[in-house]
Amino acid sequence: MTTSDEVVREYWTRAEARDWAGFGELLADDVVYELPQSRERIRGKVDYLRFNEEYPGDWHASLVRAVGQGSHAATWISVTTDGEEQAALTFFELDDQGLIARITDFWPEPYEPPPGREHLVERF
Amino acid sequence: MTTSDEVVREYWTRAEARDWAGFGELLADDVVYELPQSRERIRGKVDYLRFNEEYPGDWHASLVRAVGQGSHAATWISVTTDGEEQAALTFFELDDQGLIARITDFWPEPYEPPPGREHLVERF
């Protein structure tokens, strides 16, 4: 029995390897992928695989954290694209067959700290 | 035995209730809080409680998802501040006593979809 955290670790390993056949084996046929920040949604394995295969840039994903519980999982990855690093946070739902049925991706951007908390924070 | 997902559910319940005494009971004395987007870090329960108590705006947090595994957990919350909604993604590490020792918070902002994937996506 594969646990949800193992499934999502494989998801990122196969994405990084551009092993799209293996990546597709982790997905339900009716997988739904959502990007809440841009309010974009992709329905179905065929289009979602194509989205990943066509994704521009020489990106590399390394896993920072994977957490799985029952049919749910979350990952935090570090993505480097042409020397620029960005975090991505992804929440997953698996179906009864252990296939990934729902993916919600967040891509936070850097921002300047708001004023008023300098007495509490250090910068890194 | 309290599981890590139960601890982080309580974290958000007590934050939303402004129950700062109860919130503090979930935290290790040497808790470290990080905001990678602004590269801000707060060290210790005293300052981290103060950061939360002083946080401006009439914000309300509701839990969308909590995932816990061993000493790790992740949450996805929806925060409404003065009518504006934003997602926040948080990764937690618990210490041997089950207290929250490390918190990493991400606050993604809306963005316009980049061109080139209109053939695959719908908007919501």
Side-chain angles (χ1 to χ4, degrees):
Chain A
M1 184 64 193
T2 310
T3 60
S4 57
D5 74 294
E6 290 169 341
V7 171
V8 300
R9 284 173 194 275
E10 274 301 308
Y11 174 96
W12 288 119
T13 299
R14 295 178 191 185
E16 173 61 18
R18 275 56 166 175
D19 170 14
W20 300 121
F23 185 83
E25 287 169 10
L26 302 173
L27 304 175
D29 286 341
D30 58 352
V31 62
V32 175
Y33 173 75
E34 286 187 352
L35 290 159
Q37 291 166 275
S38 59
R39 307 188 73 79
E40 290 173 288
R41 179 186 294 126
I42 299 172
R43 293 181 185 275
K45 190 200 284 204
V46 172
D47 279 2
Y48 185 54
L49 278 172
R50 197 165 155 197
F51 173 76
N52 280 282
E53 289 178 49
E54 292 179 0
Y55 204 90
D58 181 26
W59 58 267
H60 293 280
S62 69
L63 190 69
V64 179
R65 179 77 45 82
V67 188
Q69 182 179 27
S71 61
H72 289 154
T75 58
W76 165 9
I77 61 164
S78 173
V79 182
T80 307
T81 310
D82 304 322
E84 285 219 13
E85 206 181 326
Q86 191 178 10
L89 304 318
T90 311
F91 284 75
F92 298 88
E93 286 179 54
L94 275 57
D95 67 13
D96 294 343
Q97 280 74 52
L99 297 171
I100 297 170
R102 206 163 179 101
I103 306 163
T104 310
D105 239 4
F106 296 93
W107 294 83
E109 299 269 1
Y111 60 79
E112 280 306 299
R117 58 206 203 191
E118 303 82 354
H119 56 302
L120 301 172
V121 304
E122 62 185 47
R123 304 293 302 280
F124 64 93
Chain B
M1 185 63 195
T2 308
T3 59
S4 57
D5 74 294
E6 290 169 340
V7 171
V8 299
R9 284 172 192 276
E10 274 302 307
Y11 174 96
W12 288 119
T13 299
R14 295 178 191 184
E16 173 60 18
R18 276 54 167 177
D19 171 14
W20 300 123
F23 185 85
E25 287 170 11
L26 302 173
L27 305 175
D29 287 341
D30 58 352
V31 62
V32 175
Y33 173 76
E34 286 187 351
L35 289 159
Q37 291 165 273
S38 58
R39 307 189 72 81
E40 290 173 289
R41 180 186 293 127
I42 299 172
R43 293 180 185 275
K45 189 199 287 206
V46 171
D47 279 1
Y48 185 56
L49 279 172
R50 196 163 156 200
F51 173 76
N52 280 281
E53 290 178 46
E54 293 179 359
Y55 203 90
D58 181 26
W59 57 266
H60 293 281
S62 68
L63 189 69
V64 179
R65 180 75 46 81
V67 188
Q69 182 180 24
S71 62
H72 290 153
T75 59
W76 165 8
I77 61 163
S78 172
V79 183
T80 308
T81 310
D82 305 322
E84 285 218 12
E85 206 182 327
Q86 191 178 11
L89 303 318
T90 311
F91 285 75
F92 298 89
E93 285 180 54
L94 275 57
D95 67 13
D96 294 342
Q97 280 74 51
L99 298 170
I100 297 170
R102 205 161 181 104
I103 305 164
T104 310
D105 240 4
F106 296 94
W107 294 83
E109 299 269 2
Y111 60 81
E112 282 305 300
R117 57 207 203 189
E118 302 83 353
H119 56 304
L120 300 172
V121 304
E122 63 184 48
R123 303 294 301 280
F124 63 93

